């Protein structure tokens, strides 16, 4: 059973997916599904506004290339700023998780 | 690289197709796979829209979207698109041109330093008030003011003169000025120097400044010309300098009546008038004064009046200086025509905008289903608006660009033609503000026509909005636009008709002289002939020779011709009264045969004859006969004639029709004609009535004039017709322009109406089909449709007519021979426009309903 992802985490997931190597949009989706073992479902179209947002912020960059099936596709990769942002957000996330764990008292269990 | 809309679409398509391919690999049929991929993806328009928002709003999208929309529009209805752009070009172009003219001529300050301190000086003299509101000054006054006026920073005399330049075929036009002139107009020589304070007056050395144009055309812009000597009327003249290329100089009657300057000036010379010795009642110079900073006009005027008072006392003539701001002096004649044209251009733009708005409203209403579907699919309101606005904005942009280019071309043409009623034309440039303002009226109207219905539309549930027959607010909006177009075009057409009536009356009224086949020549005896008897003899000999030329029907000469103004203004009275008691009138010296040649009707008595020589005789105009000799027969009676200070009596031998002496539009003055052997100056104007080839005849005439030892330069030949054309030019321009604007407005309004009606009918095609299937005749159906379409037109016609009538009332004092009795003209114009509108709408309706009921029912 797949589960909707938490609001605000899509950007981080995309950065993570793109950090693993140049990908087109559909590839990013597959990578996210793979990262979550198919547990997360996102409405696929929602990926694109997020990609454009990240590109506008300068965290990822894109260029047109050729896909595996020889079609024109747009490929995204992480920029230096994006790498830094990914590190920052990952740390934030871990801290949040740790704090949430602490608050909910699940750490000792 | 931030993606464009097209790239976004391509990327999304790639995603869905890749997903579908994966799903197919998992065993779905191609159709199933595609369907599933689409479902998983979600709403494409929504994510496109969100994508656009995420990446930020961009001009490129609007441009691309507009371009696509516009190309679809051009493709689908090229005629409609062309008409839209043409009318927009016309409306915006005309408004930009006229507003730029109004701004550049009426509002922009003169291009002189401290232009607000410059005044034209004229003389108001109560005894002359009935003929001239003000007069030129005497050089004598200017000299007195120059020496004594403490509130004047500078004052200059200005006079016009014509010279022949040795080695130069045409004559050259000169201004003769005093040295302050250069300080007043703020001009320095671009080469050489201007005049020194002492370089004027009778003993001054002969100096000249060349105009830039003459310097380039005649002297190849050679800087070594400074200090060289040229010959003006055979007199050696040293070139002191060259004027700057863009120095606005007075031309025409810009500095007031009786001062006529040529359209272009070639030279500026120091005045050689002996100002101190000049007669203070010799009113023949212009004067410009620059007041000191802070000096009030009233104070300066009263100081100048006090300085003038002793001169007025010694001349026994009441006179006072009148300071007229130079700007209003130069632009006074242009105010009314320009304001009128500005109003006409505004009305035309209003019609164009209303029409354009209506067209856009129809297109948005036509696309209401697309809009409903788009919004159901998740398009945002902003997206819908941008989509809806792109087409009108693109059309307005194309129209506005074309309008700017056309306005530039029109302004160039106008500057070249240089109509006399538009002063300062070379200083006018197109006004970008006016252009933006003009373009924004149709843009805003069209935007409102898109925004208002769309805004209301987007509040309605998509399911409901799909079934709407019309857009919310659409009907009211369309009716107000039709009303606006109808009232503005009727108002404009009504005013144009009134102007046309006035101009037609001006041209068809008998002004006391004929124009057909009538040439006028201005011939001067050589300067060496100073004896009046010798001049007289020379002119008499020439006149006889001209009369004997083949092709000459009649020939005569006079010291002035109709419309050329006064040379002699004296009281006209019976011998009994004290001299100067009679009303002022115009006195002219004419040869015998003058009235026959000029086409001035002889009402009683006879023309002058050779037998009159040695006797004092006069011919008077009808007005003189009626006002000086009411109820009597003036023939044989005496009239007082003043000659060189002595009072003589002349016997009236004839009465002729009244003839206009100066202004063609004002009433003919009291006129007395005396035989030309009583006085003969060097100048005479000849009237030649001829048949056959005028050009050939004029060549013969020039030969005869030369054989007689006189000169007749080409610029001194004019047809009487041209003189009347010149005198009526301002009114002709106003009339032609306003009529053209009105015609364009009515045509545009009719085109718009036809478009709206056709659209309305096409939308009601099902209703029409049902009506006709149920037995309604074509005629009844047409009447129903017509009534609906024409309903908003009627109040528009009423309001437009009322506007035209009030405008006619306001304009009436400045119109020629138009009065309350002509109130039918705007009414008749409105009726014509109504007829045009009805037939346009009827044609559109009948064309549209010419369909089979079954076909009409299938159309949905």
């Amino acid at each position: 059973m797949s589960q909707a992802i938490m609001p605000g985490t899509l950007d981080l997931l995309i950065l993570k997916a793109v950090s693993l190597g140049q990908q087109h949009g559909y590839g990013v989706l597959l990578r996210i599904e793979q990262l979550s073992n198919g547990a997360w479902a996102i409405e696929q179209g929602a990926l694109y506004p997020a990609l454009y947002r990240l590109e506008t912020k300068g965290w990822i960059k894109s260029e047109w290339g050729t896909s595996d099936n020889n079609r024109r596709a747009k490929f995204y990769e992480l920029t230096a700023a994006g790498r830094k942002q990914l590190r920052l957000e990952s740390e934030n996330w871990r801290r949040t998780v740790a704090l949430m764990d602490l608050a909910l008292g699940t750490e000792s269990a | 690289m931030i993606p464009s809309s097209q790239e976004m679409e391509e990327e999304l398509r790639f995603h869905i197709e890749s997903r579908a391919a994966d799903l197919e690999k998992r065993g779905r049929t191609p159709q199933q796979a595609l369907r599933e991929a689409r479902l998983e993806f979600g709403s494409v328009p929504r994510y496109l829209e969100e994508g656009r928002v995420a990446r930020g709003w961009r001009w490129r999208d609007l441009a691309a979207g507009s371009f696509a929309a516009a190309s679809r529009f051009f493709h689908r209805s090229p005629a409609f698109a062309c008409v839209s752009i043409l009318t927009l070009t016309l409306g915006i172009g005309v408004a930009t041109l006229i507003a730029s003219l109004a701004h550049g001529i009426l509002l922009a300050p003169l291009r002189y330093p401290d232009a607000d301190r410059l005044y034209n000086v004229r003389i108001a003299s109560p005894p002359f008030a009935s003929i001239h509101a003000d007069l030129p000054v005497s050089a004598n006054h200017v000299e007195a003011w120059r020496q004594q006026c403490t509130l004047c920073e500078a004052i200059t005399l200005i006079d016009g003169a014509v010279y022949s330049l040795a080695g130069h075929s045409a004559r050259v036009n000169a201004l003769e000025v005093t040295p302050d002139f250069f300080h007043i107009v703020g001009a320095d020589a671009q080469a050489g120097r201007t005049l020194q304070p002492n370089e004027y007056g009778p003993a001054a050395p002969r100096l000249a400044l060349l105009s830039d144009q003459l310097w380039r055309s005649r002297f190849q812009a050679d800087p070594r010309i400074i200090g060289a000597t040229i010959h003006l009327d055979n007199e050696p003249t040293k070139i002191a300098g060259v004027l700057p290329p863009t120095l606005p100089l007075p031309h025409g009657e810009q500095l007031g009546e009786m001062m006529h300057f040529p359209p272009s000036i070639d030279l500026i010379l120091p005045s050689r008038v002996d100002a101190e010795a000049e007669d203070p009642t010799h009113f023949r110079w212009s004067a410009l004064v620059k007041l000191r900073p802070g000096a009030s006009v009233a104070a300066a005027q009263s100081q100048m009046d006090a300085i003038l008072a002793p001169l007025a006392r010694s001349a026994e003539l009441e006179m006072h200086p009148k300071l007229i701001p130079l700007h209003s002096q130069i632009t006074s004649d242009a105010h009314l025509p320009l304001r009128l044209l500005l109003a006409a251009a505004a009305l035309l733009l209003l019609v164009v905008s209303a029409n354009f708005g209506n067209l856009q409203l129809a297109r948005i209403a036509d696309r209401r289903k697309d809009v409903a579907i788009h919004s159901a699919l998740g398009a945002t309101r902003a997206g819908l608006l941008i989509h809806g606005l792109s087409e009108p904005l693109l059309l307005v942009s194309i129209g506005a660009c074309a309008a700017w280019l056309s306005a530039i071309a029109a302004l160039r043409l106008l500057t070249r033609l240089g109509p006399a009623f538009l002063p300062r034309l070379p200083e006018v440039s197109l006004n970008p503000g006016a252009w933006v303002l003009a373009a924004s009226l149709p843009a805003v109207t069209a935007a409102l026509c898109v925004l208002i219905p769309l805004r209301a539309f987007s509040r309605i549930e998509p399911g409901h909005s799909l079934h709407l027959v019309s857009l919310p607010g659409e009907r009211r909006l369309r009716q107000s636009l039709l009303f606006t177009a109808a009232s503005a075009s009727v108002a404009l057409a009504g005013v144009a008709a009134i102007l046309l009536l006035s101009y037609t009356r001006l041209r068809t009224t008998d002004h006391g002289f004929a124009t057909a086949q009538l040439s006028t020549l201005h011939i001067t005896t050589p300067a060496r002939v100073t004896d009046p008897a010798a001049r007289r003899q020379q002119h008499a000999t020439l006149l006889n020779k001209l009369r004997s030329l083949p092709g000459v029907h009649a020939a005569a000469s006079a010291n002035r011709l109709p419309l050329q103004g006064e040379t002699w203004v004296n009281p006209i009275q019976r011998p009994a009264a004290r001299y100067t008691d009679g009303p002022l009138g115009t006195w002219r010296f004419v040869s015998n045969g003058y009235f026959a040649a000029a086409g001035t009707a002889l009402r009683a008595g006879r023309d002058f004859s050779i037998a009159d020589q040695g006797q004092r005789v006069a011919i008077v105009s009808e007005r003189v006969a009626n006002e000086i000799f009411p109820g009597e027969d003036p023939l044989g009676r005496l009239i007082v004639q003043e000659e060189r200070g002595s009072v003589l009596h002349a016997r009236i031998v004839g009465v002729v029709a009244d003839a206009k002496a100066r202004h063609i539009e004002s009433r003919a003055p009291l006129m007395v004609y005396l035989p030309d052997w009583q006085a003969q100056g060097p100048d005479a104007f000849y009237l030649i009535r001829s048949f056959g080839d005028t050009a050939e005849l004029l060549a013969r005439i020039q030969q005869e004039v030369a054989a007689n030892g006189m000169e007749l330069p080409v610029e001194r030949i004019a047809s009487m017709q041209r003189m009347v054309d010149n005198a009526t030019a301002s009114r002709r321009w106003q009339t032609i322009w306003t009529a053209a604007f009105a015609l364009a407005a009515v045509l545009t309004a009719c085109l718009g109406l036809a478009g709206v009606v056709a659209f309305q009918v096409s939308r009601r095609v099902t209703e029409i089909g049902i009506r006709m299937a149920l037995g309604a005749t074509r005629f009844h159906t047409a009447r129903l449709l017509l009534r609906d379409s024409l309903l908003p037109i009627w109040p528009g016609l009423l309001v437009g007519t009322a506007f035209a009538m009030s405008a006619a009332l306001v304009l009436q004092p400045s119109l020629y021979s138009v009065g309350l009795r002509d109130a039918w003209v705007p009414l008749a114009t409105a009726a014509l426009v109504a007829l045009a509108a009805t037939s346009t709408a009827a044609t559109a309706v009948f064309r549209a309903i010419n369909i089979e009921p079954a076909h009409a029912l299938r159309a949905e």
Side-chain angles (χ1 to χ4, degrees):
Chain A
M1 187 61 205
S2 54
Q3 187 190 341
I5 61 166
M6 267 178 70
T9 53
L10 182 59
D11 287 6
L12 181 56
L13 281 173
I14 292 175
L15 286 179
K16 178 68 189 170
V18 174
S19 75
L20 301 175
Q22 218 188 28
Q23 276 301 334
H24 49 63
Y26 183 56
V28 172
L29 174 85
L30 294 179
R31 189 78 52 85
I32 291 175
E33 283 183 344
Q34 195 187 6
L35 287 172
S36 69
N37 286 326
W40 285 326
I42 51 171
E43 191 168 40
Q44 295 175 9
L47 193 61
Y48 290 90
L51 279 169
Y52 301 148
R53 198 163 46 239
L54 295 177
E55 190 174 11
T56 310
K57 285 180 180 164
W59 294 338
I60 55 176
K61 60 181 180 186
S62 66
E63 62 181 358
W64 285 90
T66 316
S67 72
D68 299 342
N69 54 357
N70 272 332
R71 285 196 48 185
R72 210 170 98 88
K74 200 155 91 168
F75 289 87
Y76 294 89
E77 64 181 314
L78 214 56
T79 61
R83 204 162 295 283
K84 209 171 133 195
Q85 184 67 21
L86 175 61
R87 220 168 30 236
L88 208 73
E89 286 204 21
S90 307
E91 275 166 27
N92 271 344
W93 177 255
R94 287 194 193 99
R95 206 172 305 132
T96 309
V97 171
L99 284 172
M100 289 301 288
D101 283 347
L102 197 65
L104 299 172
T106 46
E107 182 70 337
S108 54
Chain B
M1 191 189 62
I2 298 189
S4 70
S5 294
Q6 260 177 328
E7 285 175 341
M8 277 163 46
E9 279 175 41
E10 185 179 349
E11 197 177 5
L12 267 50
R13 200 165 49 238
F14 171 79
H15 181 114
I16 292 171
E17 285 168 9
S18 303
R19 184 66 173 180
D22 279 354
L23 290 170
E24 246 181 276
K25 277 182 209 152
R26 294 184 206 164
R28 317 286 206 281
T29 65
Q31 286 92 342
Q32 269 179 336
L34 197 59
R35 194 168 164 274
E36 212 168 305
R38 280 192 183 137
L39 278 174
E40 283 180 10
F41 191 85
S43 162
V44 172
R46 179 181 150 201
Y47 288 121
L48 274 177
E49 191 57 39
E50 283 186 19
R52 279 188 204 112
V53 173
R55 136 210 95 144
W57 187 83
R58 297 186 30 250
W59 278 108
R60 200 159 25 127
D61 285 341
L62 186 62
S66 311
F67 185 76
S71 64
R72 276 197 300 277
F73 176 54
F74 274 98
H75 186 67
R76 255 187 250 156
S77 33
F80 236 31
C82 287
V83 169
S84 293
I85 289 176
L86 270 181
T87 54
L88 283 169
T89 305
L90 184 75
I92 299 171
V94 162
T96 306
L97 177 65
I98 303 291
S100 301
L101 288 174
H103 177 264
I105 293 171
L106 302 182
L107 298 179
L110 296 175
R111 283 200 194 158
Y112 300 127
D114 306 311
D116 55 329
R117 285 197 273 135
L118 299 187
Y119 293 83
N120 185 35
V121 193
R122 300 279 291 180
I123 297 292
S125 178
F128 286 94
S130 64
I131 295 189
H132 297 292
D134 48 43
L135 299 162
V137 300
S138 161
N140 186 261
H141 311 157
V142 177
E143 189 56 25
W145 290 323
R146 197 188 63 78
Q147 291 174 7
Q148 301 169 46
C149 177
T150 56
L151 296 175
C152 308
E153 183 177 305
I155 185 163
T156 180
L157 268 185
I158 304 180
D159 195 11
V162 180
Y163 289 94
S164 60
L165 172 62
H168 194 72
S169 60
R171 296 195 156 212
V172 287
N173 295 317
L175 282 189
E176 297 186 336
V177 302
T178 46
D180 271 358
F181 175 83
F182 295 97
H183 172 66
I184 287 174
V185 300
D188 209 352
Q190 61 165 311
R193 61 175 182 87
T194 60
L195 301 177
Q196 298 300 313
N198 56 346
E199 285 176 337
Y200 76 105
R206 206 55 179 146
L207 292 172
L209 279 105
L210 303 180
S211 75
D212 181 71
Q213 203 268 333
L214 185 70
W215 183 48
R216 290 179 190 284
S217 64
R218 178 78 177 77
F219 302 103
Q220 291 78 43
D222 183 357
R224 287 168 302 176
I225 194 73
I226 308 300
T229 301
I230 53 173
H231 286 82
L232 294 178
D233 282 357
N234 297 324
E235 192 181 349
T237 305
K238 205 168 128 186
I239 296 178
V242 178
L243 295 168
T246 53
L247 175 64
L249 292 171
H251 63 87
E253 289 200 335
Q254 281 180 349
L255 295 185
E257 276 191 355
M258 301 169 70
M259 287 307 303
H260 193 92
F261 296 102
S264 69
I265 299 293
D266 305 303
L267 296 165
I268 292 190
L269 309 175
S271 172
R272 288 208 284 191
V273 65
D274 186 357
E276 284 191 78
E278 203 36 79
D279 179 353
T281 63
H282 193 188
F283 304 110
R284 56 147 296 178
W285 284 273
S286 280
L288 293 184
V289 64
K290 182 175 193 173
L291 299 187
R292 288 197 185 282
S296 82
V297 196
Q301 195 159 291
S302 70
Q303 191 188 42
M304 287 167 79
D305 197 18
I307 295 168
L308 189 62
L311 302 176
R313 265 196 306 278
S314 70
E316 292 176 11
L317 181 68
E318 187 183 352
M319 49 187 169
H320 307 282
K322 195 167 143 187
L323 297 190
I324 304 161
L326 187 57
H327 184 277
S328 46
Q329 173 77 62
I330 287 179
T331 58
S332 58
D333 286 346
H335 269 274
L336 188 76
L338 274 177
R339 283 189 195 159
L340 189 72
L341 290 179
L342 196 60
L347 285 175
L348 175 59
L349 184 62
L350 200 62
V351 173
V352 166
S353 303
N355 246 7
F356 185 61
N358 236 335
L359 169 72
Q360 291 306 319
L361 184 62
R363 292 196 40 80
I364 269 291
D366 203 22
R367 293 200 313 238
R368 67 193 182 282
K369 287 213 168 116
D370 294 352
V371 174
I373 291 167
H374 268 92
S375 81
L377 286 176
T380 59
R381 193 192 283 182
L384 284 180
L385 290 185
I386 287 179
H387 190 64
L389 284 179
S390 60
E391 178 188 304
L393 292 186
L394 187 78
L395 287 175
V396 170
S397 311
I398 296 176
C401 290
W404 180 266
L405 295 177
S406 326
I408 286 182
L411 183 61
R412 282 210 187 127
L413 183 70
L414 201 59
T415 312
R416 223 177 53 206
L417 295 177
F421 80 99
L422 290 180
R424 310 180 66 196
L425 265 181
E427 297 168 51
V428 175
S429 57
L430 281 196
N431 189 320
W435 178 62
V436 169
L437 207 64
S440 57
L441 187 62
V444 168
T445 313
L448 286 180
C449 290
V450 171
L451 292 184
I452 292 176
L454 273 190
R455 237 189 87 160
F457 195 71
S458 62
R459 294 210 188 99
I460 300 171
E461 280 295 304
H464 182 54
S465 60
L466 262 175
H467 300 291
L468 281 182
V469 177
S470 63
L471 292 172
E474 181 197 335
R475 189 181 150 85
R476 269 236 321 263
L477 209 52
R478 185 176 52 244
Q479 288 192 341
S480 28
L481 290 171
L482 281 177
F483 168 81
T484 308
S487 50
S489 53
V490 165
L492 188 47
V495 172
I498 286 279
L499 290 180
L500 201 60
L501 179 76
S502 165
Y503 179 67
T504 314
R505 285 202 179 135
L506 179 63
R507 291 309 298 255
T508 51
T509 307
D510 180 10
H511 296 294
F513 55 87
T515 54
Q517 295 288 308
L518 205 53
S519 307
T520 74
L521 322 168
H522 176 189
I523 298 175
T524 311
T525 51
R528 62 188 150 75
V529 184
T530 48
D531 174 33
R535 285 177 187 153
R536 196 148 59 232
Q537 190 50 49
Q538 225 172 352
H539 278 298
T541 313
L542 179 63
L543 186 58
N544 279 334
K545 278 189 186 155
L546 294 186
R547 278 176 175 158
S548 64
L549 283 180
V552 171
H553 192 64
S557 68
N559 68 332
R560 274 294 155 101
L561 295 179
L563 304 183
Q564 284 184 330
E566 293 81 9
T567 43
W568 273 42
V569 173
N570 268 341
I572 298 178
Q573 61 185 74
R574 296 157 175 262
R578 194 168 61 92
Y579 188 61
T580 73
D581 277 359
L584 285 178
T586 298
W587 294 67
R588 286 205 171 145
F589 295 95
V590 300
S591 72
N592 65 333
Y594 169 82
F595 301 107
T600 305
L602 189 66
R603 300 286 194 225
R606 60 172 178 85
D607 189 7
F608 298 123
S609 76
I610 305 295
D612 291 328
Q613 290 221 20
Q615 299 180 43
R616 300 224 157 252
V617 287
I619 292 175
V620 297
S621 68
E622 268 183 308
R623 256 191 85 185
V624 173
N626 294 335
E627 292 179 25
I628 309 291
F629 304 98
E632 299 170 54
D633 181 5
L635 293 182
R637 293 187 183 277
L638 295 180
I639 193 164
V640 174
Q641 178 198 347
E642 184 254 348
E643 196 178 288
R644 292 188 196 92
S646 52
V647 174
L648 307 162
H649 294 162
R651 190 164 46 83
I652 296 172
V653 296
V655 177
V656 291
D658 288 322
K660 304 287 171 72
R662 159 165 290 274
H663 294 295
I664 197 163
E665 299 197 17
S666 48
R667 194 177 169 200
L670 297 166
M671 288 254 258
V672 177
Y673 298 91
L674 297 175
D676 65 355
W677 55 76
Q678 289 189 11
Q680 186 81 65
D683 291 275
F685 291 88
Y686 286 69
L687 278 178
I688 312 282
R689 185 180 296 282
S690 60
F691 41 85
D693 184 357
T694 322
E696 193 182 309
L697 177 66
L698 286 175
R700 290 287 307 274
I701 290 176
Q702 272 174 312
Q703 284 170 12
E704 287 295 341
V705 172
N708 218 35
M710 298 194 262
E711 247 190 281
L712 178 57
V714 181
E715 67 269 16
R716 291 190 167 191
I717 303 174
S719 69
M720 199 68 214
Q721 184 66 47
R722 205 175 85 200
M723 286 169 63
V724 175
D725 285 349
N726 288 344
T728 53
S730 171
R731 201 169 279 290
R732 184 167 56 252
W733 278 82
Q734 283 172 51
T735 307
I736 291 178
W737 284 27
T738 315
F741 296 174
L743 194 66
V746 171
L747 277 179
T748 308
C750 281
L751 269 174
L753 180 67
V756 168
V757 169
F759 169 70
Q760 287 287 89
V761 173
S762 74
R763 181 193 269 186
R764 291 171 69 174
V765 92
T766 317
E767 180 198 331
I768 296 167
I770 294 172
R771 279 177 190 279
M772 284 166 61
L774 292 178
T777 62
R778 226 163 240 162
F779 176 73
H780 278 111
T781 318
R783 202 177 58 179
L784 179 84
L785 288 166
L786 261 185
R787 204 182 54 201
D788 283 3
S789 321
L790 290 177
L791 209 59
I793 305 283
W794 306 128
L797 290 180
L798 271 182
V799 170
T801 312
F803 182 94
M805 282 183 164
S806 353
L809 270 181
V810 173
L811 289 174
Q812 197 268 337
S814 65
L815 292 175
Y816 180 76
S817 178
V818 170
L820 275 180
R821 67 183 190 285
D822 301 310
W824 60 273
V825 172
L827 280 175
T829 316
L832 274 180
V833 175
L835 193 68
T838 314
S839 48
T840 309
T843 316
V845 163
F846 276 105
R847 266 181 60 181
I849 64 166
N850 213 359
I851 43 170
E852 288 302 312
H855 174 75
L857 283 172
R858 263 203 312 275
E860 271 293 285

